[in-house]
């Protein structure tokens, strides 16, 4: 609410917002600890696949998201921040994997 008591305007969901939300869902599916941490119910007692195959699934998903974001224009300043932050995180994950640092 604003000081005058009127609701704040809502921002429509953009393509980059949708990609980022899909990434959160993907990461929560691949790592139930993250699901529990962010409050997704029903994931207690599950474990992430920390094997090379599990890590490969994460990196493959990250590369897919990088490609999607690279192909999508930012609609506003919020998208610019989301895009910049998410790309930085995902690219570091991919680069670290390709350098063999995750082992």
């Amino acid at each position: 609410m604003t000081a005058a008591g009127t609701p704040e305007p809502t921002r429509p969901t953009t393509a980059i917002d949708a990609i980022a939300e899909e990434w959160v869902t993907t990461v929560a599916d691949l790592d139930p600890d993250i699901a529990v941490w962010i409050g997704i119910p029903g994931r207690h007692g599950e474990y992430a696949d920390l094997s090379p195959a599990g890590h490969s699934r994460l990196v493959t998903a990250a590369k897919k998201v990088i490609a999607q974001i690279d192909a999508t224009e930012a609609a506003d300043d919020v998208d610019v921040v989301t895009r910049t932050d998410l790309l930085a995180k995902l690219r570091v994950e991919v680069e670290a994997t390709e350098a063999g640092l995750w082992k």
Side-chain angles (χ1 to χ4, degrees):
M1 292 256 176
T2 63
T6 58
E8 293 283 337
T10 57
R11 180 178 166 272
T13 301
T14 66
I16 289 180
D17 293 335
I19 293 167
E21 289 296 327
E22 181 182 330
W23 175 247
V24 170
T25 300
T26 298
V27 170
D29 285 342
L30 293 173
D31 188 346
D33 284 341
I34 291 174
V36 170
W37 184 64
I38 62 175
I40 297 173
R43 302 304 299 266
H44 291 277
E46 295 181 36
Y47 299 96
D49 181 356
L50 301 178
S51 72
H55 190 76
S56 178
R57 281 190 289 280
L58 175 68
V59 171
T60 298
K63 288 179 180 180
K64 176 184 168 194
V65 173
I66 290 169
Q68 289 174 322
I69 292 176
D70 281 342
T72 305
E73 292 295 319
D76 58 19
D77 290 341
V78 174
D79 272 359
V80 170
V81 172
T82 302
R83 172 184 237 245
T84 301
D85 187 56
L86 189 53
L87 282 175
K89 164 114 178 70
L90 295 175
R91 286 183 173 144
V92 165
E93 182 73 39
V94 170
E95 289 171 11
T97 296
E98 290 174 350
L101 300 178
W102 72 276
K103 297 176 183 179

